[in-house]
Amino acid sequence: MGDIFKALADGTRRALLDELLERDEQTLFELCSRLAMKHDLTPTRQAVSQHLDVLEAAGLVVVERRGRYKLHTIDTAPLAQIAERWPTRKASS
Amino acid sequence: MADPEGILVKLQTISIFVDDQQRAVDFYTGTLGFEVTADVPLGEHRWLTVRLGSSPEATEVSLEPKGHPAVAPFTDALAGDGIPWCVLGVDDIEAEHQRLAGLGVTFTQPPVDVGPVIVAVLDDTCGNLLQLAQYTS
């Protein structure tokens, strides 16, 4: 399993997670359109594909091949380890 | 700069590579509403063109067999990443999405509002994805 902290340490990958939250089973084409139109991010398709690979390695994106298409779905479960490691604790002032 | 008055060419025919010409003509005419403009036997395959509407000015689409060995890897790679081959304009994308989905058409992308345009992507049953677009501004 890849490092979720590394996966989250990039604005484009965080934007991809934002857009994946909108709808499950998105193609690379849909994700590229969303990045361009909603986030003003226009990396190449190849670069977006590599970002998705990093998210997949960290378990944050699940890729399914259905028929001819590759579909991407978010999985936020790995994020729980952040809150488990550093549960909410407010400094008393 | 070209003088518009001087232009002597028009976009007569463009090609789309299809897995199966018969399945393609069924889909493009039966489901999408194209009309056949030529259907000429050509050995194993056909010279098969379709057109939207009855205007002779409208561009024809040739439903081209995937004869060349480079074609299938190319079209498979595009479809794999959800990339449509061309754009079909519609006035009411929600209604058209509903109509086509009701006919059993597979969409890889339902209508998604991406700013100046709402975009959906459908499978033409012959190895290609087509984009439906409704311009909103």
Side-chain angles (χ1 to χ4, degrees), chain B residues 10 33 40 82 86 110 131:
Chain B
K10 70 165 191 165
V40 182
C86 65
Q131 178 173 333

Side-chain angles (χ1 to χ4, degrees), chain B residues 90-100 110-112 118 134:
Chain B
V90 291
D91 293 331
D92 183 346
I93 197 165
E94 292 292 343
E96 196 58 14
H97 172 245
Q98 281 211 339
R99 183 186 80 82
L100 292 169
V112 173
I118 307 172
Q134 178 188 343

